[in-house]
Amino acid sequence: MDPWSLVYEGFDPEREGLREALCTLGNGRFATRGAAPEAVADGVHYPGTYVAGCYDRLTSKVAGQELTNEDMVNLPNWLPLTFATPGSEWFLAGTAGLLRYRQELDMRHGVLHRLIRYRDAEGRITSVRQRRLVSMADPYLAALETTFTAENWSGPLRVRSALDGRVTNEGVARYRDLRGDHLTRHATGTRGDLTWLRARTRSSGVEIVLAARLDVSPDVAEPPELERHDDLIAETRTLGLERGRPAGINKIVALTTSRDLAIADASSAASRRAELAPGFAELLERHEIAWHDLWERARLEVTGARIQRDVRLNTFHVLQTLSPHTADLDVGVPARGLHGEAYRGHVFWDELFVLPWLTLRFPEIARGVLRYRLRRLPEARAAARAAGLCGAMFPWQSGSDGRDETQRFHLNPRSGRWTPDHSHLQRHVGLAIAYNAWQHYAVTGDMEFLAGTGVRLLVEIARFFASLARLNPASGRYEIQGVMGPDEYHDAYPGAPAPGLDNNAYTNIMTVWLLLRTREALDLVPRRAREDLCRGLGLTDVETERWEEIARRMRVDFHDEVISQFTGYERLAELDWSRYRHVRRLDRALEAEDDSPNRYQVSKQADVLMLFYLLTARELRRILDRLGYPPPPGVIRRTVRHYLSRTCHGSTLSAVVHAWVLARTDRAGSWQFFTETLTGDLTDVQGGTTAEGIHLGAMAGTLDLVQRCYLDLEARPDGLHLNPVLPQHLTTLSLCVRYRDAELCIDADPTRVRITRADDGPPALDVAVHGHHARLRRGDSHVFPLPERRAEGEPPGPGVPP
Ligand code: BGC
């Protein structure tokens, strides 16, 4: 197996949507699904092009309700290109007499190849080779090269290329009752050799322009036949094919929007960029250089071609969604990439799984994502105020301007019913933002970031959670009531008149972590700057003293020496697992039976166990001790066991967390979760969802597992600490990270770790491996022998207790 490529042989209409998602090409500014250029959305194919941060809001009427949703907009399709031999219909993969059909995603170069051999009704055999790119060098350009060879005939071949604005958002079947006609005011035209198409989003008023240039070789004398409508422009060229002699058409396209920087207007920018764009070969060369640089920075080498390929596939899609180009944009982390319309391109808490990997590789991209949040602080503050609270209440789902975009009703495709959706009560999203802000500082040591973006986010989020926590005089404890934890199967107590749960352990404990960390972050900022910051934020000692008090008296519930997911969890019934053993979306199955997961001790995904994912056992124990809940011996292990056997992994994020939590105590189990998450989108583990977009959190989380979890890599104030214990299947691991502005290359095998510093960064850096410290100067290399591999279950690991 070539560890750089994903190959599909044959045309498989059933799996076309999945392949389109996995063959998406993007550059962090925009992406286009790997759809066949000759196809329109027809139930098999779904061409989709999405620009990061391009949203539009529409109101629909469903189930007697008016619902307003903001969608990441499916933009006009730049791909269309088809062809016809004399007297035949336009080529379409599904109907042509295919002799060969092959698609290959070349991840090293960021190119999608397609090879078609087909025979028409007259017996003429034509081979068609296509290469496609969405430029990583110039984020406004994309190109499609098509080369035709008439194998047993000579004659004219008609080639039709179009820009198609007749697209809507209809990529997700269960949203089809909702409006998807986001584009309006279409117009088309020509300018010199270019064709162009313009449209505008209905409510956000973003203008989108495509301009295309066709480079034909050998050149044809006749002018193109033009077909022009308001929402589609096509040009047809006739190539004179000679048997065995390749001839080609290259389509070079610029995609601009009125939100772009450095433009006068989107129309002139598109034309200008398409005019100035070089030919395909040069575009490809520049694109390959850009990818080469990215791969250098993203290097993560593991043993085994298949695992390596899958690691690269995940890396590739993360970087296509979040690239150095994204750092310049005002966008967050769309949960499903720029690869499809699931979750409407919304931004959830998934950056919690994405930023740790990015921060250690591409800190500028991670910083950009945190700034997306910072810019939406006013909206988050307004939301907190409207709820009678203080600080910043970041919304569970965010889009363009940081308003809460969470839907209030959702369709259960299993029962056909629209039911209330309370997931907006997942206040913990703010904790994820704060955690990332802190981690970013811990890894980069960037004081400018901490004193600017970092502390502002931390303080406003800390304020919010502190205001959410109320003292219950009866228990003498601070409590957080009426929220949801990460486990979306629990949104209310059975039979309760209002949604929300009390004292979700993850939320409460992470709130304590946040309040402590925020104070620590403030203390790190130089005094003058800190005083200015506190004055600007109106932060007083009275307020921080209250934080201190909450951080000593927050409530956490336990049952049977296990941390309870929330107050009263132990009173829930046990599910009859024999009936639902392999059902991932238990919520849908139970609702269809007029039942609800709220009644059972069952989780969609890791909730309490998130604590062991984010905090080391040491940190967690310290928090529990400080709260006056000295953890009984074995509490973490019992807690893991309890929830593990009651979780059905209805979210792809769940396997990431479980692989992490089991990394030291059950290495075989951890590896199983690791491979599930590594191949989750390739195998479409959630049964049909990948076609609607990749699962970005799981993809990046998998990379982070290899990097941070299996190396047990932690940025501490006194340096970078590693305690590697590689899984049996990963006998070598080689990667580079950026730590405190320096590049460190780490090569590990079961017996030793070599850490080599590049020539950049501060004069000296401290690293420690299994407690052995070394000070590395620029260019230094140090080998740390590893202790004998210890028996399973012995040593403490990332988040796992002894
Ligand atoms: C998960 C959430 C996640 C969202 C977007 C849901 O299925 O339960 O935790 O944020 O998907 O990925």
Side-chain angles (χ1 to χ4, degrees), residues 335-336 343 348-350 396 426 486 488 604-605 650-651 653:
R336 305 298 284 276
Y343 293 137
F348 296 63
W349 71 322
D350 301 44
W396 173 236
Q426 289 185 70
E488 298 192 324
K604 176 180 181 187
Q605 65 201 93
S651 158
L653 300 174

Side-chain angles (χ1 to χ4, degrees), residues 716 718-721 766-775 782 784:
R716 295 196 202 149
D718 64 342
L720 193 68
H721 286 248
D766 291 325
V767 294
V769 175
H770 282 295
H772 297 287
H773 292 258
R775 174 153 294 184
H782 195 92
F784 299 85

Side-chain angles (χ1 to χ4, degrees), residues 637 640 644 655-676 705 709-712 723-733 749-751 770 786-798 800-801:
R637 202 169 290 225
V640 170
L644 183 58
V656 177
V657 181
H658 284 86
W660 187 292
V661 167
L662 297 179
R664 298 291 169 101
T665 51
D666 173 4
R667 290 167 66 205
S670 168
W671 186 253
Q672 207 173 326
F673 279 115
F674 172 76
T675 49
E676 176 184 317
L705 272 169
C709 176
Y710 292 140
L711 288 178
D712 192 1
N723 294 297
V725 176
L726 303 188
Q728 262 146 4
H729 299 80
L730 285 188
T731 45
T732 61
L733 189 57
D749 67 30
T751 60
H770 282 295
L786 293 181
E788 288 268 300
R789 183 169 280 167
R790 291 175 253 182
E792 294 216 348
E794 255 186 36
V800 181

Side-chain angles (χ1 to χ4, degrees), residues 124-352:
R124 284 176 291 228
I125 298 177
T126 310
S127 77
V128 184
R129 285 180 182 274
Q130 289 184 318
R131 291 193 293 177
R132 182 193 307 184
L133 62 87
V134 170
S135 176
M136 194 52 95
D138 182 332
Y140 300 91
L141 298 180
L144 173 67
E145 175 199 60
T146 308
T147 308
F148 303 96
T149 310
E151 293 192 9
N152 60 353
W153 62 284
S154 295
L157 180 84
R158 300 179 73 223
V159 183
R160 181 176 185 267
S161 163
L163 300 175
D164 185 1
R166 300 171 181 182
V167 299
T168 57
N169 277 52
E170 51 174 322
V172 178
R174 62 190 176 283
Y175 301 163
R176 282 186 199 145
D177 288 348
L178 306 167
R179 281 181 66 186
D181 54 331
H182 291 288
L183 296 177
T184 180
R185 299 211 221 160
H186 296 78
T188 55
T190 57
R191 183 170 157 171
D193 288 349
L194 306 178
T195 51
W196 59 262
L197 181 146
R198 190 172 64 218
R200 183 185 273 265
T201 57
R202 234 172 245 284
S203 66
S204 55
V206 181
E207 198 162 79
I208 298 113
V209 185
L210 290 175
R213 187 184 86 214
L214 290 186
D215 297 344
V216 184
S217 134
D219 206 359
V220 288
E222 301 99 82
E225 286 167 44
L226 210 62
E227 178 190 337
R228 198 177 146 194
H229 310 273
D230 282 350
D231 51 8
L232 181 135
I233 183 160
E235 54 182 314
T236 301
R237 299 285 180 104
T238 302
L239 309 185
L241 293 193
E242 281 177 37
R243 182 188 181 126
R245 272 255 190 107
I249 278 199
N250 298 342
K251 184 173 185 180
I252 314 289
V253 179
L255 164 55
T256 62
T257 83
S258 51
R259 296 181 81 227
D260 293 340
L261 304 177
I263 59 164
D265 63 278
S267 290
S268 63
S271 302
R272 186 96 182 116
R273 287 182 188 280
E275 253 162 37
L276 294 178
F280 188 86
E282 194 178 331
L283 264 179
L284 177 64
E285 196 183 324
R286 293 186 195 173
H287 173 70
E288 287 181 355
I289 292 171
W291 266 110
H292 178 80
D293 290 349
L294 287 187
W295 281 118
E296 292 264 293
R297 292 177 69 184
R299 193 170 71 83
L300 182 51
E301 279 163 27
V302 293
T303 5
R306 177 172 284 275
I307 299 178
Q308 182 68 73
R309 199 274 314 265
D310 297 348
V311 162
R312 290 210 175 110
L313 185 70
N314 289 2
T315 311
F316 184 67
H317 286 302
V318 173
L319 288 176
Q320 293 201 109
T321 311
L322 299 161
S323 81
H325 300 298
T326 323
D328 268 356
L329 307 174
D330 173 37
V331 297
V333 174
R336 305 298 284 276
L338 300 172
H339 297 58
E341 290 159 19
Y343 293 137
R344 307 189 168 85
H346 289 178
V347 175
F348 296 63
W349 71 322
D350 301 44
E351 64 213 57
L352 185 58

